[in-house]
Amino acid sequence: MADREQPVTLRTRKFIRNPLLGRKQMVVDVLHPSRPNVSKDELRQKLSELYKASKDTVSCFGFRTQYGGGKSTGFALIYDSQEAMKKFEPHYRLVRYGQATKIEKASRQQRKQRKNRAKTVRGTAKAKGAEKKKK
């Protein structure tokens, strides 16, 4: 955890206030000369302090470190309220921040196999996978 003590500078640009979606949106430049990169959790904390908002209403994503290191650029959204964030933020990002639970479903391949098995028994009562007709 010695990395967390190293200095990090945040600069925001292209700041836009978006009242329809109830948020502020901006491009964030992170200067971290003595670190490989900065965690999104730490960035959310620093942005919430900078804009006097709750950490739960800050969303950071799309960060890319420049070649050679020392600088990363990404996007940040600061919502006016928790309700606005839940309403407009994509579900996968809410799961990432611990504000929603992940929907568990079968893998893509299993879903396709189940679909194709169901196609073979079309017109009959569809069980898990009925036997094929014999000639």
Side-chain angles (χ1 to χ4, degrees):
M1 281 283 135
D3 261 359
R4 276 189 99 99
E5 281 79 59
Q6 298 295 335
V8 170
T9 307
L10 292 183
R11 288 209 183 107
T12 59
R13 56 190 171 90
K14 295 188 179 178
F15 183 91
I16 297 172
R17 174 85 191 83
N18 191 336
L20 290 175
L21 297 178
R23 70 187 185 194
K24 303 173 192 92
Q25 48 198 55
M26 66 207 81
V27 173
V28 181
D29 292 326
V30 187
L31 300 172
H32 47 93
S34 53
R35 292 171 64 167
N37 60 13
V38 186
S39 71
K40 283 189 222 141
D41 193 54
E42 191 178 340
L43 289 174
R44 287 175 67 210
Q45 182 68 44
K46 288 188 182 293
L47 281 167
S48 67
E49 291 166 7
L50 197 65
Y51 286 94
K52 297 174 180 65
S54 167
K55 182 182 170 188
D56 296 332
T57 59
V58 179
S59 173
C60 299
F61 57 94
F63 281 87
R64 288 282 171 265
T65 306
Q66 282 190 355
Y67 180 74
K71 183 180 179 186
S72 299
T73 303
F75 206 73
L77 307 170
I78 301 173
Y79 286 89
D80 296 340
S81 65
Q82 193 81 27
E83 293 78 40
M85 187 168 186
K86 283 204 185 323
K87 186 175 180 184
F88 296 116
E89 195 71 358
H91 190 263
Y92 76 94
R93 285 208 295 252
L94 290 174
V95 169
R96 203 181 268 178
Y97 303 137
Q99 296 176 10
T101 56
K102 187 174 185 205
I103 300 166
E104 292 298 328
K105 55 186 174 186
S107 72
R108 184 177 170 91
Q109 186 176 6
Q110 286 173 333
R111 289 188 309 229
K112 288 182 176 212
Q113 287 170 347
R114 188 179 309 132
K115 172 196 60 113
N116 290 330
R117 275 199 306 272
K119 279 167 42 177
T120 62
V121 292
R122 184 172 175 201
T124 61
K126 288 188 173 76
K128 259 294 199 209
E131 304 84 36
K132 292 188 177 181
K133 295 177 185 171
K134 295 174 186 163
K135 289 188 177 179

